[in-house]
Amino acid sequence: MASVPSLASSLHQRIADALSAALPEAAAADPLLRRSDRADFQANGMLALAKKLGGNPRELAAKVVEQLPAGELIKDVEVSGPGFLNITITDEAILKTLAERAADDRLGVPFAQAPGTTVIDYAQPNVAKEMHVGHLRNSVIGDAVVRILEFSGEKVVRRHHIGDWGTQFGMLIQYLIEHPHELDHEGEVSGEEAMSSLNRLYKASRALFDSDEEFKARARRRVVDLQAGDEETLALWQRFVDESKIYFYSVFDKLDVEIRDEDIVGESGYNDMLAETCRLLEESGVAVRSDGALCVFFDDVKGPDGKPSPLIVQKSDGGFGYAATDLSAIRDRVGNLKADTLLYVVDARQSLHFKMVFETARRAGWLPEGVKAVQLGFGTVLGKDGKPFKTREGETVRLIDLLDEAIDRATAVVREKAQDLTEEEIAERGAQVGIGAVKYADLSTSVSRDYKFDLDQMVSLNGDTSVYLQYAYARIQSILRKAGEARPVAHPELALAAAERALGMHLDQFGENLAEVTASYEPHKLAGYLYQLASLYTTFYAECPVLKADTPQHVENRLFLCDLTARTLHQGMGLLGIRTPEQL
Ligand code: ARG
């Protein structure tokens, strides 16, 4: 289906035409159309234009009004203040536009005009380590951005740059060689069990590494074997990766974030490129040797002592670091995957790293001018005390514990309100509401800001929460079920009540909101749009009886507004990765 122009864009076009008819010099002028409280829209463009052309703005505005006769779209135009136009549009135009949206699967939302290829780096936990709240953010934000971009028609390649390489593996592998049954298990293990054996192994090997000099030496030699690609060592390393994946998938599953195995290309995936990356940087002079290490310097990056603080690509002992991997990944993503946009959903505390990596890649020619690299640097999750989230013992909070607690709380809320749900349904809805609550709290704050993890607030039925949105959706579904024979049908001949108009006008803005959200990678603006939609629906519901409306046409028309609201909520929440249960 074709995309549906919004009322705002139709009106924009109409006024632009009127402007150029009134004043040929104004042909390319922007009418500066805004939503307004006084009428539906206000156009402010006449002020700037009169100033530029040296005329009287009220006179110019009056001339434009002459060119805007009332009709199907415009109900009323008046000049106000120093030369604004206040414009009211017809109820008929609102309903006709919404009916066109409703006839389309995409609700009339257009595809992006020039879609490209985005490689997005998100949901990147570390092997043999617990996932914590930081991984909540990089998974949830990344998943939403993937969905939003794909909906716009963008080709999206997902990359989970998991931490699966590094010197700690020497210690882990050596320990496993010396205690060969530590990771054995019969049959399938749960994610929790996998993580708990990894944890046990990690702690035991760490303790040995710190207390036993000979073990330490063996562990260090094991790193060398690993890097040299020794087969036995690699096979053991793979066991750690596989065991960790069992755990990761169990957490992603609970989080309702779909991760595909082929998209997991961890740090180790770039091993073959590291030496070449360093050689190319050194040959081109982008990187230089400094005390044996291969470094890239920046004029504006200095340490606390005022000395330049370089990006270290290769350490003096020959080891490759995080930067070498990220630079190689850029070469792969641009050179092989043909990305024209690189996105990184990574903690804002890594911003300096990415700034230096991007700049280095630019200098080396791996990030040509047409390719955009953006870090969506997210803020920190804070505890109720406003400090980075920790347990009472001062340890990092396990993500899985948070999710379980959210599900428990949400299940209690669902149970309290549930009328005819079975236990199984309560559990399913509880999970959808609890996980939705956690995701929504994360996504409704702008990415770069810190936020407090407050479960009481997150599962509250009132206020800016996913539960509120989910209840609005479920309530509409219940009305539609009760409607019996009556169908949702738009009746453009009917006059709309104020609450219906307000809801209708907002519904019409869905595509414009999404276009903005897509271009700026700001899911919180979509959350804001949906919250406002649910609020407008609540007012409509309070003021306009649906099934008991005056005439059958009114019933159908209100059912139509209900249905389109539900579909918009469902689509919008879906783009945030949040479920909308049919019944709550
Ligand atoms: N594994 C890292 C962490 O847990 C995130 C990796 C970010 N991505 C990257 N390309 N460096 O913080």
Side-chain angles (χ1 to χ4, degrees):
M1 270 286 286
S3 71
V4 180
S6 68
L7 292 164
S9 65
S10 308
L11 189 60
H12 186 279
Q13 189 57 50
R14 191 66 70 78
I15 301 174
D17 292 347
L19 252 172
S20 54
L23 200 68
E25 306 96 287
D30 184 346
L32 297 178
L33 192 66
R34 305 269 174 279
R35 281 299 302 277
S36 135
D37 293 334
R38 265 184 275 171
D40 293 327
F41 291 97
Q42 189 175 66
N44 301 339
M46 273 44 74
L47 289 175
L49 192 65
K51 201 168 176 191
K52 196 171 125 204
L53 301 174
N56 175 326
R58 281 193 69 98
E59 275 168 27
L60 173 60
K63 274 196 204 151
V64 176
V65 170
E66 274 169 38
Q67 302 292 330
L68 290 171
E72 258 190 45
L73 178 62
I74 296 173
K75 182 170 176 218
D76 189 34
V77 200
E78 57 177 34
V79 180
S80 109
F84 306 124
L85 297 183
N86 282 338
I87 306 143
T88 307
I89 53 178
T90 64
D91 293 354
E92 181 190 355
I94 297 177
L95 284 167
K96 279 192 171 159
T97 306
L98 296 182
E100 280 182 60
R101 294 198 180 290
D104 178 28
D105 288 347
R106 294 177 52 86
L107 303 171
V109 177
F111 286 103
Q113 282 187 339
T117 301
T118 294
V119 176
I120 176 169
D121 184 311
Y122 73 106
Q124 327 94 327
N126 301 312
V127 165
K129 293 209 182 117
E130 284 282 359
M131 290 173 75
H132 53 75
V133 278
H135 300 114
L136 170 74
R137 299 219 70 188
N138 64 34
S139 306
V140 168
I141 297 167
D143 184 51
V145 172
V146 167
R147 290 163 182 269
I148 290 166
L149 289 177
E150 284 183 344
F151 189 67
S152 80
E154 181 81 0
K155 176 174 174 211
V156 180
V157 182
R158 312 164 192 204
R159 281 292 173 264
H160 308 293
H161 197 88
I162 62 170
D164 63 356
W165 204 248
T167 47
Q168 76 276 19
F169 285 98
M171 175 182 97
L172 290 167
I173 295 167
Q174 190 59 34
Y175 189 86
L176 190 58
I177 291 177
E178 297 174 18
H179 305 80
H181 300 297
E182 287 291 304
L183 281 185
D184 290 358
H185 41 73
E186 280 164 37
E188 281 194 22
V189 279
S190 69
E192 288 268 337
E193 287 161 347
M195 190 64 235
S196 98
S197 42
L198 286 167
N199 255 336
R200 191 165 19 85
L201 217 138
Y202 194 93
K203 286 199 182 118
S205 65
R206 178 93 244 169
L208 206 55
F209 188 85
D210 290 339
S211 63
D212 181 340
E213 284 303 317
E214 281 171 23
F215 176 75
K216 197 181 214 166
R218 293 198 294 279
R220 292 223 163 113
R221 277 199 298 278
R222 192 52 65 183
V223 177
V224 179
D225 294 340
L226 181 65
Q227 281 166 349
D230 169 63
E231 266 185 44
E232 186 207 348
T233 308
L234 271 178
L236 290 166
W237 165 81
Q238 189 65 49
R239 286 191 64 189
F240 283 97
V241 175
D242 292 344
E243 197 77 3
S244 294
K245 279 191 184 173
I246 297 176
Y247 165 72
F248 297 156
Y249 280 123
S250 74
V251 179
F252 287 130
D253 195 46
K254 186 158 279 180
L255 198 50
D256 197 11
V257 167
E258 195 207 336
I259 302 290
R260 301 180 302 215
D261 215 40
E262 68 266 29
D263 299 328
I264 300 184
V265 181
E267 295 176 15
S268 68
Y270 305 95
N271 282 348
D272 291 350
M273 299 175 74
L274 301 177
E276 191 183 36
T277 296
C278 290
R279 181 173 59 75
L280 293 170
L281 287 174
E282 196 168 1
E283 278 173 11
S284 61
V286 172
V288 292
R289 290 280 164 193
S290 169
D291 296 330
L294 187 62
C295 301
V296 183
F297 287 93
F298 306 87
D299 290 342
D300 54 347
V301 186
K302 297 200 171 72
D305 55 359
K307 290 200 189 121
S309 155
L311 180 73
I312 300 176
V313 190
Q314 190 179 22
K315 290 177 269 181
S316 52
D317 66 4
F320 301 108
Y322 195 45
T325 310
D326 267 325
L327 286 164
S328 304
I330 291 181
R331 292 175 56 210
D332 179 52
R333 292 170 190 187
V334 177
N336 300 325
L337 299 174
K338 307 287 178 224
D340 38 52
T341 303
L342 300 178
L343 290 183
Y344 293 82
V345 188
V346 183
D347 196 314
R349 286 170 288 196
Q350 294 189 32
S351 295
L352 182 59
H353 166 77
F354 283 104
K355 176 181 140 85
M356 296 197 288
V357 164
F358 296 162
E359 174 62 27
T360 301
R362 293 255 178 240
R363 290 183 195 170
W366 299 329
L367 260 184
E369 228 176 274
V371 181
K372 185 164 85 167
V374 183
Q375 181 199 359
L376 301 180
F378 54 79
T380 306
V381 181
L382 308 172
K384 278 193 189 163
D385 57 1
K387 301 207 183 92
F389 207 21
K390 291 272 152 63
T391 61
R392 240 173 284 152
E393 294 74 35
E395 285 176 39
T396 20
V397 184
R398 301 186 331 144
L399 178 53
I400 197 86
D401 293 340
L402 283 182
L403 300 182
D404 284 337
E405 198 183 335
I407 293 172
D408 284 349
R409 300 265 194 118
T411 307
V413 173
V414 171
R415 187 185 305 277
E416 200 175 300
K417 289 216 122 198
Q419 287 167 351
D420 34 48
L421 295 181
T422 64
E423 270 308 303
E424 201 183 318
E425 285 169 331
I426 291 178
E428 189 196 326
R429 314 283 147 90
Q432 296 180 342
V433 170
I435 295 301
V438 171
K439 287 186 177 181
Y440 187 86
D442 194 294
L443 293 169
S444 58
T445 324
S446 79
V447 169
S448 62
R449 279 182 49 190
D450 299 347
Y451 72 89
K452 282 189 191 166
F453 196 94
D454 178 351
L455 276 176
D456 295 324
Q457 189 275 327
M458 288 179 192
V459 301
S460 153
L461 292 168
N462 295 307
D464 189 4
T465 63
S466 64
V467 196
Y468 176 66
L469 301 181
Q470 288 169 323
Y471 267 104
Y473 178 82
R475 180 188 292 153
I476 298 175
Q477 295 309 319
S478 131
I479 296 173
L480 292 170
R481 279 191 299 270
K482 285 190 198 129
E485 296 288 281
R487 309 295 335 139
V489 182
H491 286 278
E493 73 281 6
L494 294 182
L496 292 174
E500 292 177 301
R501 288 190 106 248
L503 177 63
M505 296 281 284
H506 192 65
L507 281 168
D508 183 50
Q509 282 165 15
F510 185 49
E512 273 159 18
N513 174 267
L514 273 185
E516 191 189 339
V517 167
T518 307
S520 61
Y521 312 117
E522 289 180 311
H524 77 280
K525 292 193 174 159
L526 174 56
Y529 171 88
L530 296 171
Y531 175 54
Q532 206 187 336
L533 180 59
S535 306
L536 289 167
Y537 181 78
T538 305
T539 308
F540 158 83
Y541 182 72
E543 292 179 7
C544 307
V546 178
L547 298 178
K548 295 202 172 100
D550 292 343
T551 69
Q553 287 76 15
H554 279 90
V555 173
E556 288 188 342
N557 201 52
R558 287 185 180 163
L559 280 173
F560 166 77
L561 289 172
C562 287
D563 184 51
L564 188 59
T565 301
R567 287 172 60 197
T568 307
L569 283 171
H570 177 77
Q571 177 65 264
M573 293 285 266
L575 293 177
L576 296 177
I578 300 175
R579 305 265 174 186
T580 37
E582 296 295 300
Q583 202 184 350
L584 272 177

